[in-house]
Amino acid sequence: MARILITSALPYINGIKHLGNLAGSMLPADVWARFNRAMGHEVLYVCATDEHGTPAELAAAAAGQDVRTYCDEQHLVQKRAGEAFNLSFDVFGRSSSEQNRRLTQHFAQVLEERGLIEERVDRMIYSIDDARFLPDRYVEGTCPHCRYEKARGDQCDNCGRLLDPTDLIDPYSSVSGSRNLEARDTRHLYLLQTRVADKVRAWVDSRSENWQPLARSIAYKHLDEGLIDRGITRDLSWGVPVVGADGGPRPDMEGKVFYVWFDAPIEYIAATEELTDRTGGDWRSWWRLDEGADDVRYVQFMGKDNVAFHTVSFPATILGSGEPWKTVDQLKAFNWLNWYGGKFSTSMNRGVFMDQALELLPADYWRWHLTAYGPEHSDAAFTWEQFQSTTNKDLADVLGNFVNRIVKFTESKFDGIVPDGGEAGPLEEKLAADIKAGLEVLTAEFEAMEFRKAAQAARALWVMGNEYLQEAAPWTALKTDRERAAVVVRTGLSLVALFARIAAPFMPSSAGKIGQTVGATDLSWPRAEDDLLNLVPAGSTVAAAQVLFAKIEDAQVAEWTERFGGAE
């Protein structure tokens, strides 16, 4: 049994997340966590809300709330949305927690003791009309490298370069649109990434062989461009406060907090401590190499926009501390899920968000589609037409149809009792070999974290079931050879139990319902060496479920397109 630590990128506190956020980190992390638990491994799946920074302050002000109250409410909203999608977080923490405050201040102190943090008087953008310093992402303008006109002060989404606000051409405040900006002196702490650049590169060299090309290329792109020293504090009131070595106020740093991108990744560790503070256990055994974490396999899931921070900035913090912290072994990065080729946009009525999706269909419909057709190795476009087609074909016509056919046949011809008698023949022997081979492929794809390929391998097994039923034709055999029909029925019902188990990581609720039809409650991962065609004993009862997967009708697509947008 392995110990596997899984983290998915922290959803920002500001608003419910759209399907692209779900598909790009939280959902694949959950699918993989469920697979590994089913394999019998010890899994810790960690996530949290990312709560600090200007967006939270502005959103709270717009809602007429103080920022703490706003974050309290939004954390619950996001936690419930995750639960509704059956995201099996072991802990869903908060970056505003006391544990994260303490750990963030600890890292800052240790880094400073090691000569990796220094105070600098900086020139930062001050908005005269907004009467505030503007954090990096709230200054927008033209990228000096690619001339993209909507670059942010921390990063250009077009060319991917990390930026400083003063790099931008014709900058303006994204808070108010004001161009009445000026650079003013302000004192801040800087993390001297230039001093740990070689250490970070050596670490990437040692780990990136296990990363997919997307994550590896982004990491080396930033390393090859050259790391820069990064400001890690901001002029804000909401965040982890900067303190002195004695824990008291630090001179010249009053009213300053740590930059959200400094404290947010530390919350992975802090959330684990939040969990063990409630339930017992030792969070250090997952995160400290000197306290038991040396046998942990750590896997991160994230969208491609987060890769630079997780392969450069956070490792600079962890490695720079000189302490024996567990660092990531494998990094799984996803591309963008677009809406008909464009971006999701609430203001433009384009796209579906997590809470809205569940008003339309149960979670498993979305989980399957976003995994099987998600933005894994390239950007993917969500369209209602594709969603309708894949749902109807994969779930209704293939999986749901197989389960309903064989269970209802058993009810009508064998009084709902799994029949005894008969011997397996050549058709079952071939099926057993094909199922074994298909399961080995599916397991290998899961272990490689190839989710689209895993989904297609699962679908291929479901197709085998339908093809077997069609060829074995128990309805025909029943007319002349009841024992032969009994063999086919038992085999088909065992496939139902098997298909529930392989569907469980993708669609946990539906898998349970499928298993219940044949009285199967075991949703552990099947082993290729098991007798997979004898999973349901003779004499047990079966009962067809109501429609497992209803087809999506053209009228529904038209209604949803009108409500949420579609092709231009």
Side-chain angles (χ1 to χ4, degrees):
M1 183 177 70
R3 299 178 69 217
I4 301 174
L5 173 63
I6 300 172
T7 61
S8 56
L10 309 188
Y12 195 68
I13 195 67
N14 187 8
I16 196 91
K17 302 302 111 179
H18 59 65
L19 295 183
N21 300 125
L22 180 66
S25 60
M26 294 182 286
L27 177 56
D30 177 72
V31 171
W32 204 64
R34 288 179 177 277
F35 164 73
N36 280 288
R37 291 191 192 105
M39 287 283 286
H41 301 312
E42 182 182 3
V43 173
L44 180 65
Y45 178 20
V46 175
C47 196
T49 38
D50 179 4
E51 300 186 11
H52 292 142
T54 301
E57 288 188 343
L58 295 178
Q65 296 176 306
D66 67 86
V67 67
R68 168 60 73 177
T69 300
Y70 173 82
C71 288
D72 288 346
E73 291 185 0
Q74 292 300 309
H75 172 77
L76 286 176
V77 167
Q78 296 206 30
K79 184 173 185 291
R80 288 167 183 158
E83 290 169 348
F85 267 93
N86 287 316
L87 301 179
S88 59
F89 304 123
D90 290 290
V91 58
F92 189 67
R94 305 183 62 178
S95 68
S96 63
S97 68
E98 173 63 23
Q99 292 88 343
N100 198 42
R101 180 198 63 77
R102 181 183 57 76
L103 274 169
T104 298
Q105 292 171 343
H106 165 80
F107 275 107
Q109 180 180 343
V110 170
L111 288 165
E112 188 163 20
E113 289 172 355
R114 293 174 61 84
L116 295 175
I117 287 180
E118 69 178 23
E119 289 189 22
R120 293 181 181 178
V121 175
D122 206 356
R123 301 282 284 175
M124 296 191 71
I125 301 298
Y126 186 86
S127 172
I128 296 170
D129 293 337
D130 297 325
R132 65 184 297 163
F133 284 99
L134 294 176
D136 298 355
R137 61 179 291 121
Y138 279 82
V139 184
E140 294 185 357
T142 300
C143 175
H145 304 288
C146 70
R147 304 297 169 174
Y148 177 59
E149 294 182 352
K150 293 282 288 182
R152 297 192 315 267
D154 59 348
Q155 185 174 8
C156 175
D157 286 339
N158 186 55
C159 70
R161 294 283 189 100
L162 297 180
L163 302 171
D164 282 320
T166 52
D167 296 334
L168 296 174
I169 300 168
D170 297 326
Y172 59 89
S173 164
S174 64
V175 175
S176 63
S178 173
R179 295 184 183 272
N180 191 14
L181 311 178
E182 66 181 26
R184 290 188 180 182
D185 287 348
T186 182
R187 185 176 293 273
H188 282 289
L189 300 181
Y190 270 71
L191 175 61
L192 306 183
Q193 294 187 147
T194 51
R195 294 188 182 177
V196 293
D198 291 343
K199 184 175 290 188
V200 171
R201 181 179 285 273
W203 174 79
V204 171
D205 289 343
S206 70
R207 298 298 173 94
S208 62
E209 184 177 339
N210 294 323
W211 301 354
Q212 67 183 105
L214 176 62
R216 191 163 54 243
S217 64
I218 292 174
Y220 280 114
K221 175 178 181 290
H222 289 284
L223 288 168
D224 292 343
E225 288 173 355
L227 302 191
I228 62 173
D229 298 335
R230 300 287 293 181
I232 59 168
T233 54
R234 293 294 183 269
D235 292 285
L236 294 171
S237 59
W238 175 242
V240 176
V242 179
V243 296
D246 60 358
R250 180 174 178 140
D252 298 323
M253 288 285 157
E254 295 85 354
K256 298 183 190 295
V257 299
F258 285 101
Y259 178 34
V260 63
W261 257 110
F262 183 73
D263 81 79
I266 296 170
E267 170 59 15
Y268 295 136
I269 306 171
T272 311
E273 185 177 1
E274 292 174 54
L275 174 66
T276 57
D277 282 351
R278 291 196 306 269
T279 63
D282 186 1
W283 62 271
R284 296 171 184 83
S285 70
W286 289 96
W287 288 102
R288 295 277 302 200
L289 298 176
D290 57 342
E291 299 194 43
D294 52 316
D295 66 343
V296 170
R297 179 186 179 191
Y298 178 18
V299 182
Q300 291 177 341
F301 290 79
M302 69 196 65
K304 61 184 176 182
D305 57 325
N306 287 331
V307 171
F309 292 101
H310 284 81
T311 58
V312 175
S313 298
F314 187 40
T317 296
I318 294 292
L319 300 172
S321 74
E323 297 177 330
W325 294 101
K326 176 65 185 176
T327 57
V328 67
D329 295 300
Q330 290 171 282
L331 194 153
K332 179 72 175 180
F334 285 76
N335 289 275
W336 300 130
L337 180 70
N338 295 316
W339 187 261
Y340 285 87
K343 290 186 176 181
F344 285 75
S345 172
T346 305
S347 61
M348 296 178 64
N349 193 36
R350 288 176 55 81
V352 176
F353 289 69
M354 287 174 65
D355 54 343
Q356 298 167 328
L358 297 180
E359 296 172 9
L360 309 182
L361 289 170
D364 282 352
Y365 289 69
W366 303 102
R367 286 178 61 105
W368 172 256
H369 182 81
L370 295 175
T371 304
Y373 304 95
E376 188 166 6
H377 293 295
S378 62
D379 291 351
F382 180 94
T383 71
W384 289 120
E385 295 76 13
Q386 185 198 38
F387 182 52
Q388 176 190 30
S389 174
T390 57
T391 298
N392 292 352
K393 291 177 180 177
D394 295 354
L395 302 186
D397 291 344
V398 177
L399 179 57
N401 177 62
F402 173 79
V403 174
N404 287 329
R405 285 174 74 191
I406 189 62
V407 176
K408 287 184 176 179
F409 182 78
T410 307
E411 285 184 320
S412 65
K413 303 302 181 183
F414 292 91
D415 299 322
I417 306 297
V418 181
D420 200 354
E423 297 282 341
L427 200 57
E428 286 72 40
E429 291 177 7
K430 179 180 184 302
L431 176 65
D434 291 344
I435 290 288
K436 179 179 184 294
L439 180 59
E440 288 174 343
V441 170
L442 170 57
T443 303
E445 298 295 6
F446 257 132
E447 289 176 337
M449 290 181 284
E450 290 288 341
F451 295 99
R452 289 182 62 139
K453 291 180 179 178
Q456 296 315 304
R459 187 185 188 280
L461 286 165
W462 303 335
V463 168
M464 285 182 198
N466 281 286
E467 291 175 342
Y468 168 74
L469 271 193
Q470 203 61 32
E471 186 173 357
W475 43 87
T476 301
L478 187 64
K479 298 174 183 177
T480 58
D481 188 347
R482 190 173 180 83
E483 286 201 346
R484 175 59 191 159
V487 170
V488 177
V489 167
R490 279 201 313 277
T491 301
L493 294 174
S494 289
L495 289 179
V496 171
L498 174 65
F499 293 170
R501 291 163 70 175
I502 65 175
F506 303 106
M507 300 176 288
S509 293
S510 299
K513 293 176 184 177
I514 291 169
Q516 286 173 7
T517 66
V518 295
T521 58
D522 179 8
L523 293 180
S524 65
W525 194 253
R527 310 285 175 168
E529 60 270 20
D530 294 344
D531 187 359
L532 299 174
L533 299 188
N534 284 290
L535 298 178
V536 179
S540 56
T541 59
V542 302
Q546 294 181 337
V547 177
L548 289 167
F549 303 104
K551 286 195 172 186
I552 298 173
E553 304 296 337
D554 291 344
Q556 291 173 287
V557 170
E559 175 190 340
W560 299 341
T561 300
E562 177 70 21
R563 179 178 172 187
F564 299 105
E568 295 293 347

